[in-house]
Amino acid sequence: MLLAIDVGNTNCVFALHDGTRVLGEWRCRTERQRTADEYFVWLKQLMEHEGITATVTGVIISSVVPQVVFNLRVLSDRYFHTRPLVVGKPEVDLGIAVRVDPDTTVGADRLVNTVGAHDRYGGDLIVVDFGTATTFDVVGSDGAYEGGVIAPGVNLSLKALSEAAAALPYIDVTRPAHVVGTNTRACMQSGIFWGYVGLIEGLCARIAAERGRKMRVIGTGGLSTLFDQGTGIFDNIDTSLTIHGLVLIHARNKQKDG
């Protein structure tokens, strides 16, 4: 049984995969101070709640928060008696080329998404990931990571707006009934929702024009299903993309070692 862990700036996703399918998937807030013991108690209770009794025999971690990785390594060693694979470490083979400027570090989640997206959808892709940041990543025809775009995330923009303007409330992200709002909350909802739709459509069009060919657009991340309601730009919405990429990377490295 594989435990795949995706650590984002806001949330961590833990998924159990039996080699064929995901048996369970859970989220917790990303906290640098959370100990290995706390992770284990939390995870054990959730597994028991869903009747999952299988033994974890492999662990793979993708993290954009380096401070969290140490305690996840301890979790893997102490409770599952296995050395985890950590995406981004030199010994972990992703199976893809990374075509960026020398000495450039690419977020582990973006590389994992590239692996998962190429496996499911082929090449010439734009992967739009709605996380703390909204990222646009280009997957080449051969599956290589070829760069991308980083924009402020939706919730980050909302937080900045409400904190910087005293008269503006913090609102939930939702599709508004009309583009033109007739009250403050509706105006803000329209600015965020349709503003990001414009951002997505505009950047994807510019990326495709710069590449000189048609690019398929894949949406992932929690808010991808919401923004899919406001645009026809997405060819596919795939909220399990990162976990799928982690499963593939683990299988590739296990095969090499075994």
Side-chain angles (χ1 to χ4, degrees), residues 83-102:
R83 181 183 179 185
L85 291 177
V86 180
V87 176
K89 296 298 182 181
E91 66 272 17
V92 178
D93 180 11
L94 301 181
I96 60 169
V98 181
R99 300 188 183 118
V100 295
D101 294 341

Side-chain angles (χ1 to χ4, degrees), residues 5 7 14 39 61 68-77 84:
I5 306 173
V7 180
F14 290 69
Y39 280 121
I61 302 166
V68 175
V69 175
F70 174 78
N71 281 317
L72 291 175
R73 283 183 176 273
V74 175
L75 169 71
S76 181
D77 291 336

